Amino acid sequence: MTDASSHTAAPQGWRAWLLAETPTSRMHARASAAYVGWLSFRSNTMAMIGLVILVALVLMALFAPLLAPHDPFAQNLANRLQPLGAEGHLLGTDSLGRDILSRLIYGSRITLYIVALVALIAPVAGLLVGTIAGYVGGWLDKVLMRITDIFLAFPRLVLALAFVAALGAGIENAVLAISLTAWPPYARMARAETLTIRSSDYISAIKLQGAGPLRIITRHIWPLCISSLIVRVTLDMAGIILAAAGLGFLGLGAQPPSPEWGAMISEGRRFILDHWWVATMPGLAIFTVSLAFNLIGDGLRDVLDPKAGE
């Protein structure tokens, strides 16, 4: 009885500590805020569905060699365009006899690779440009914002096509092109947040203590912009995935025989009437992952910015 009661009391003690109304330290306050945010996020059923899909995608990418039933690059022309479930191919085969399920599983690695790189490049660049423009102001603000407006004037995919045409086809160039077209919205958001924050009383107090612009921007303005940035990044992931798939569809992204989902749709469009599964399966994969990121983004918006969700 003693052991059982001690195991039961331990989680209750941690929960009480995390839900304490008066934090005892900075770490306690951060842990409490994170736990309360998780409880709010967990109560959103659709957001949890999106999280489950995303976790499944990550696990599928990590354990692709174990999960894929066939070699995604192995060709068998005698077994081409087999329907769903035929001869051990759960999702059928493509025009070269390659297993579609195996190629979708390995293609998740390319999707996560693109998403991760763009999420590291575009928001950081936008945050840097937006905070500098908002804090410094003057002619620098006007120059940076006019450059941002020029990028925003072009449709993302059209601008990405122009950059890829200049840089050359390939997955790395596609990532760079998408990043170059994705940063302007983050810059405008960061600038708006900075304009609100820089006139606050506590920024004035920090200036009186001798803090320079660099310290104020990095230590006091950036942390306040992060929550809005995270929500925007999550909601933009669907557009980034679609842009990457669009470049792959046009042959400007990942090059054959890479199992990139957009390139798989491009290959399957020739058989869409008679062999619909060749293009439909990667299309469903793109749809599912894009939906997952949108659901997670909505859930994070409700947690990090409750007023926006009302």
Side-chain angles (χ1 to χ4, degrees), residues 137-228:
W139 66 269
L140 184 60
D141 179 26
K142 293 180 181 179
V143 170
L144 291 177
M145 285 301 101
R146 295 299 78 76
I147 294 174
T148 303
D149 291 339
I150 291 173
F151 276 85
L152 287 172
F154 294 93
R156 176 177 294 183
L157 185 56
V158 173
L159 194 57
L161 285 172
F163 281 121
V164 171
L167 298 172
I171 188 169
E172 287 78 13
N173 290 339
V175 169
L176 183 58
I178 296 172
S179 300
L180 288 172
T181 61
W183 67 267
Y186 304 117
R188 295 190 69 88
M189 177 182 294
R191 177 180 178 271
E193 296 271 359
T194 304
L195 289 175
T196 304
I197 296 168
R198 73 173 184 177
S199 59
S200 58
D201 293 337
Y202 84 93
I203 294 293
S204 301
I206 294 168
K207 288 181 180 177
L208 293 175
Q209 293 176 0
L214 182 61
R215 179 180 177 85
I216 292 173
I217 290 175
T218 57
R219 298 291 298 274
H220 302 282
I221 293 180
W222 280 5
L224 295 176
C225 297
I226 291 298
S227 60
S228 300

Side-chain angles (χ1 to χ4, degrees), residues 100-124:
I100 293 177
L101 176 60
S102 299
R103 290 180 63 79
L104 287 179
I105 291 174
Y106 273 87
S108 63
R109 290 183 165 185
I110 299 176
T111 299
L112 286 177
Y113 176 74
I114 294 173
V115 165
L117 285 183
V118 174
L120 287 175
I121 297 172
V124 173

